[in-house]
Structure formats: structure tokens, C-alpha cells
Amino acid sequence: MNIVQEEERRVASQAPKPAKFRRTRVQSIPRWAYVLFAVLAVLVLLRTFQRGVGTLRPAQAPARPVTVAKVVTKDVPVYLDEIGTCAAYETVLVQAQVSGQIITRDFQDGADVKKGDPLFTIDPRPFQAVLDQDKAQAALDQVNLKRQEDLRARKVISQQDYDTAVANAQKSQAAVEAAQVNVDFCYIKSPINGRVGLRNVDVGNLVGPSTTPLVTILGLDPIYTDFTVAENDLPLVRKYLGGPNVKVQTFLPDGSIAPRLGDLYFIDNAVQPGSGTVKARGVTPNPDRALWPSEFVRVRFILDTLKNATLVPSQAVQVSQSGPFVFVVKPDNTVDLRPVKPGQRQEGDLTVIEGVKPDETVVVTGQLALSPGAQVAPQPYVPQNSDKPQDAAVSESAL
């Protein structure tokens, strides 16, 4: 065992010894370097955090294109829109006053005639003969009366004979006048200005007071406009009835003629049972005969005039659960939601409205994606063709 231990010591002594490293002194880092490093690290973290917040922030919505229009003010009517028909201002059934045979017809069917224009001629010869006979008798009675006056002046006749002569002269003169009337009746003339219809008789027919009318003449200038007013609108009508601005405007549904303004001629004194309406009639100028009797027309019953009413295009008014509203454009091109009270629609596409001020700008189209405070890119609104008045009666709350 000792031998083994000695051998191990010998081997260990012969093994190479490790080199001894020279211990060098490590220099310490300055404290300000640690502070600088900490500051830089904080700046890097802050920059990284700001970039992350920027990526999470939503991008600002672009300005939405809309069309806009200014609020305008002007005088507009308060009205009711109705459906009506035209009626002839005058209707004359031309009737023969004496019996006889028609020998001439002096008009064309459907022609315009004036008062005094000849229409028919009934054979006047029998009546002319009676007239001549009565004139002869009247002349004889006048001579007899003059003779009686001379005799009476000389007091050679009685008062009774003189009175008889006076009566006979007057009676014969009356007979002449009656015969003259019958002769005049043979020449049938138009009693009014108007348009004749289709004749009922021709030359050669025997006519008389008991036969059918010879022809019908209708007076077309002016012309009546007949319409009805609903029972629910009677309070509104009575409010303005008799006022200076009450008018009746008439036009055709196809817009082929310009609206014609007339006066209210008549309004009934009772509501029609069953229909719940009141009859009314206006007088409308018709110099060009554009309106015809029994023709359907559109009627605007104007009751009054609103002074300086505010108007906007009708498309600007939107409806929500809270009621009607419009979007008003501010000077910075943002919009504000404004509750309004709409009124009647006027000419074109304008609507009377309450809740906006004159010269304010409202959005007309493009409201679907808007909300209060949204940015818009306004473009001027170009109105479409003017619409005709709608068939709707206005209520008191719409004024």
C-alpha cells in the first residue's frame, strides 16, 4: 500500500503545473453612464407606446358629399287641392217661338257665334202677310180716328163714337206689333256669345214651340269650375271665407295650360249627405276655350297668403322617431340636426317649414350616413322640374 501511495505522489509530481494567471484590476463604470442608459431606455419605451396608441386610434372619417340649399323666404298661398269639373257659364236651348218650316241654316256645327248672329230662318211669308194685313187695318183705324176727332171738334158725334174710334186705333196698332214680333221670331239669332253644338233639325223641317230645341249654345268664356270641399276642411274654409285673398286656381292635369286664377262664385250652405262634402264653384277666365264643359280639372282653392314664409326643398325634410328634422350646415362644414315643423308644399319642390332661419343652409340629399357633427363636402342643389300641386287637403296643423 505504501508503494502505491508513493507511486501516485511521483506521478503527481511529474504532471505539468497550470500556469498562474496574473490578476488584473477591472476598472468600475461611472454612475452617470447608468443614468444615461436609463433615460435612453425610458425614451425608447415611451416612443414605442405612442406608436402603439397611434395604430389603435381610428382614422378620421372623410367629408361626406352632400347637396345643400339656402333657406328662402317669400309670400306663399294657403290652399286646398281638389278635383273638379268645368261647366258652361251659360247654357241656352234655342227653341222655335213660331211654327213653320226652316228654310235656311246659317252656322256650322261646333262654330263660335256672337250675340245676334243668325242661326235659322223659318219661312216668314205667312207671318209677313198677317203683319201687312194688320198694318192696313191700323192705317184705316188711324184715318177713322182722325175723322172722329174732326167731328167731335164740331160736336156732331157722341163721346161713345169717339171712344170707340180711339180703342179701334189702339187695338190695330197692338195687332201690328204682335205680328211684327212673330215675323222677327222667324229669324232665329244667337242670344249669347258662345259655341253651338250639334244641330237637331235641318232645312225643311217643320218646327214650333212644342218641338225639340233646334240647337244648344254654351257660353265658354268665362267658365265655371265646380269642385267640393271636404267636411273636415270646413273650419279652415270658414276662417278665410269672404277674405280678399280667396281665389280659385284651375289647370289641366297634364299641365298643358298655365294655371288660371278666378274668383269664388258660390259655396253651398249644407254638407252633402253620404259624401261629407260641400259644393263650391269658381268663375275662371277662358278666352282661348282651352277649358271645356264637363272636363276634369285640378283645382287649387286659395284661402289666404302667408307673408315671408320660410321654404326649403321638400327632400331636405327627414323623419325620425322624434319627428321631422333637417340637417343644417354650419360655417365649418359640419352639420347639426334641427327639429322642424313642415307645412304645405309650394311650387317646384319647396316646402313651407318652421324651425330654420332665413339664409341658413340645409342638406337636401345625402342625409343617410350623416350624424350631428359630421364633416360634409357641400355641393349646390339643382332642383328638378316643377311638380304640380298634389291632390291633398291641408289640415289646420300644416299651416
Side-chain angles (χ1 to χ4, degrees):
M1 184 173 181
N2 294 330
I3 298 173
V4 175
Q5 292 179 349
E6 291 179 359
E7 185 65 24
E8 289 178 356
R9 285 194 296 268
R10 185 180 63 81
V11 172
S13 62
Q14 294 178 356
K17 296 181 181 179
K20 294 182 180 180
F21 292 94
R22 181 179 295 179
R23 188 174 181 180
T24 59
R25 183 180 178 184
V26 179
Q27 297 180 353
S28 61
I29 300 175
R31 182 176 299 178
W32 61 267
Y34 289 105
V35 176
L36 179 61
F37 176 78
V39 171
L40 292 176
V42 171
L43 292 177
V44 171
L45 291 176
L46 182 61
R47 185 62 178 174
T48 304
F49 176 76
Q50 290 178 347
R51 289 181 178 178
V53 173
T55 56
L56 295 177
R57 184 181 300 170
Q60 186 178 2
R64 300 186 180 278
V66 295
T67 59
V68 298
K70 288 282 189 181
V71 178
V72 298
T73 59
K74 64 178 179 178
D75 298 343
V76 295
V78 179
Y79 63 87
L80 300 173
D81 279 340
E82 308 290 352
I83 296 292
T85 57
C86 291
Y89 188 74
E90 296 174 295
T91 302
V92 177
L93 303 178
V94 179
Q95 185 74 49
Q97 299 295 309
V98 294
S99 298
Q101 184 182 39
I102 294 178
I103 59 175
T104 64
R105 174 174 60 87
D106 303 306
F107 67 92
Q108 292 292 330
D109 295 339
D112 289 329
V113 295
K114 296 181 179 179
K115 184 177 181 180
D117 287 351
L119 301 177
F120 296 97
T121 301
I122 298 175
D123 189 357
R125 290 176 296 177
F127 304 98
Q128 185 66 45
V130 174
L131 175 61
D132 294 341
Q133 182 180 354
D134 291 339
K135 284 182 177 181
Q137 183 63 42
L140 178 61
D141 290 341
Q142 287 293 333
V143 172
N144 187 36
L145 176 61
K146 186 176 181 180
R147 185 181 300 111
Q148 294 295 329
E149 288 177 348
D150 293 340
L151 295 175
R152 181 172 176 272
R154 290 181 290 175
K155 298 181 180 181
V156 296
I157 62 171
S158 65
Q159 182 66 31
Q160 181 179 2
D161 292 339
Y162 175 75
D163 292 340
T164 301
V166 172
N168 289 336
Q170 293 176 348
K171 182 171 63 174
S172 60
Q173 183 61 34
V176 170
E177 294 175 357
Q180 183 65 56
V181 170
N182 289 333
V183 171
D184 293 339
F185 280 155
C186 293
Y187 303 95
I188 300 175
K189 300 178 181 180
S190 175
I192 62 171
N193 296 331
R195 176 168 292 181
V196 297
L198 186 65
R199 67 187 185 278
N200 297 322
V201 295
D202 288 308
V203 173
N205 290 119
L206 293 174
V207 296
S210 60
T211 60
T212 58
L214 308 181
V215 72
T216 301
I217 304 177
L218 300 180
L220 302 181
D221 182 28
I223 196 169
Y224 286 132
T225 299
D226 294 332
F227 60 98
T228 58
V229 177
E231 181 179 1
N232 296 336
D233 294 323
L234 279 180
L236 179 64
V237 173
R238 286 197 296 264
K239 178 180 178 181
Y240 297 104
L241 197 61
N245 298 322
V246 176
K247 298 291 181 181
V248 177
Q249 196 175 55
T250 306
F251 52 93
L252 295 179
D254 60 1
S256 57
I257 64 172
R260 301 186 175 183
L261 194 65
D263 297 320
L264 180 66
Y265 172 75
F266 161 80
I267 188 166
D268 207 351
N269 56 4
V271 177
Q272 299 297 310
S275 64
T277 58
V278 178
K279 294 181 179 179
R281 167 173 281 186
V283 179
T284 305
N286 192 33
D288 56 353
R289 311 295 198 275
L291 300 175
W292 285 60
S294 301
E295 183 178 20
F296 282 97
V297 292
R298 306 285 289 276
V299 181
R300 173 162 286 186
F301 187 18
I302 300 175
L303 302 175
D304 200 7
T305 301
L306 290 177
K307 299 293 185 180
N308 297 323
T310 55
L311 296 96
V312 300
S314 58
Q315 298 180 31
V317 182
Q318 303 293 304
V319 180
S320 67
Q321 295 180 351
S322 302
F325 68 92
V326 297
F327 282 109
V328 178
V329 181
K330 298 180 179 180
D332 59 354
N333 286 344
T334 60
V335 295
D336 182 25
L337 190 147
R338 184 84 57 82
V340 294
K341 181 181 178 182
Q344 286 186 303
R345 184 167 183 172
Q346 299 298 325
E347 68 276 6
D349 61 351
L350 298 179
T351 299
V352 179
I353 198 167
E354 297 180 13
V356 293
K357 299 178 181 179
D359 294 330
E360 283 189 323
T361 302
V362 297
V363 177
V364 181
T365 60
Q367 302 98 326
L368 184 60
L370 291 184
S371 60
Q375 193 80 20
V376 295
Q379 298 293 329
Y381 170 69
V382 179
Q384 303 297 323
N385 293 333
S386 299
D387 297 332
K388 298 299 179 295
Q390 303 298 319
D391 297 328
V394 67
S395 63
E396 183 81 30
S397 61
L399 301 178

